[in-house]
Amino acid sequence: NYVFQNCSSLETADLPNVQQINRNSFAWTKLRTVNYPQLTTIEGGAFWFCLQLTEVNLPEVQRIGTFTDGSASSTTGGLVFSDCSALTSVYLPKATIIGDRAFNYCNALESIELPAAIQIGVSALSGCASLTTVTLPNATQFSQDVFTNCESLSALSLTAEGSISVDSSTFGPSDSQTKNIDLILNINKKGETWNEFWQKEEWKGHSWKSISFVE
């Protein structure tokens, strides 16, 4: 824990064989890329406030921090990439757990695809002001405020076949955001949606700009 925290001039770290990075290990450094081919686990705050970080390339990572349902949010398992305000590229093809506040306030991030993610923690993507497109083909469990304050979000793909569990605040307050979002669901969710005669499309208690379906 904290091994390089506050090394304020550190820009590169070559770690080809490291499999786990513990809490706050690189927080408040000037790392520009996180490209570790053997890494599988990242603990909370590992890259928190890395303001120069632009690229995350972690092909083997399976867990980013700690997921909670919001009833007792972890104080040490969140904020892995939080406040990385220059981050634009994220590659996490095997990550099944995206922990609490994992990417919140990554203001330069415009799109993210997490193909293996199942659990999405509290405020995991909240405050990502430039985020327009999110693709989560296997996610089935969403905690509180996952997308709160994502004002630019316009396309959300949640195409898992299994039942999808969300919190009342997952998509932000009321319909203020969802009314501007084109939602894509698996075809087996069609019975969970309904369309009122004035073309108001609803799912999970929210109204959406549009709802479409894929096989």
Side-chain angles (χ1 to χ4, degrees), residues 87-188:
L87 183 63
T88 58
S89 176
V90 175
Y91 181 62
L92 295 165
K94 294 185 179 180
T96 59
I97 296 173
I98 307 299
D100 295 355
R101 298 172 179 82
F103 292 99
N104 71 336
Y105 296 105
C106 290
N107 291 323
L109 192 63
E110 295 183 2
S111 66
I112 189 168
E113 180 175 3
L114 300 166
I118 297 172
Q119 296 179 311
I120 313 295
V122 175
S123 300
L125 293 165
S126 68
C128 292
S130 299
L131 192 64
T132 62
T133 305
V134 177
T135 304
L136 298 165
N138 286 294
T140 57
Q141 192 172 0
F142 293 82
S143 197
Q144 300 172 359
D145 295 302
V146 172
F147 302 103
T148 296
N149 295 323
C150 293
E151 299 93 345
S152 300
L153 187 61
S154 60
L156 178 59
S157 181
L158 307 176
T159 54
E161 292 186 7
S163 176
I164 295 177
S165 171
V166 304
D167 184 84
S168 60
S169 67
T170 292
F171 303 109
S174 187
D175 298 334
S176 59
Q177 291 185 170
T178 58
K179 67 182 181 181
N180 299 313
I181 298 173
D182 294 312
L183 176 67
I184 304 175
L185 299 171
N186 189 284
I187 190 66
N188 66 10

Side-chain angles (χ1 to χ4, degrees), residues 15 17-23 25-26 34 36-44 46-47 58-66 77 80-81 92 94-97:
L15 304 170
N17 299 311
V18 165
Q19 296 181 347
Q20 179 166 326
I21 291 179
N22 285 342
R23 194 162 66 248
S25 290
F26 290 95
V34 172
Y36 304 137
Q38 301 300 319
L39 191 65
T40 60
T41 301
I42 308 176
E43 300 296 348
F47 300 98
L58 300 171
E60 298 298 325
V61 159
Q62 299 169 22
R63 178 170 66 83
I64 303 292
T66 302
V80 173
F81 292 104
L92 295 165
K94 294 185 179 180
T96 59
I97 296 173

Side-chain angles (χ1 to χ4, degrees), residues 4-77:
F4 296 111
Q5 180 175 298
N6 291 321
C7 291
S8 58
S9 296
L10 183 64
E11 295 185 0
T12 63
D14 187 15
L15 304 170
N17 299 311
V18 165
Q19 296 181 347
Q20 179 166 326
I21 291 179
N22 285 342
R23 194 162 66 248
N24 287 56
S25 290
F26 290 95
W28 291 285
T29 64
K30 288 186 177 179
L31 280 187
R32 297 183 181 277
T33 62
V34 172
N35 186 4
Y36 304 137
Q38 301 300 319
L39 191 65
T40 60
T41 301
I42 308 176
E43 300 296 348
F47 300 98
W48 189 15
F49 265 104
C50 289
L51 300 181
Q52 308 301 318
L53 183 65
T54 61
E55 178 183 341
V56 171
N57 181 19
L58 300 171
E60 298 298 325
V61 159
Q62 299 169 22
R63 178 170 66 83
I64 303 292
T66 302
F67 168 90
T68 71
D69 63 6
S71 59
S73 185
S74 171
T75 59
T76 59

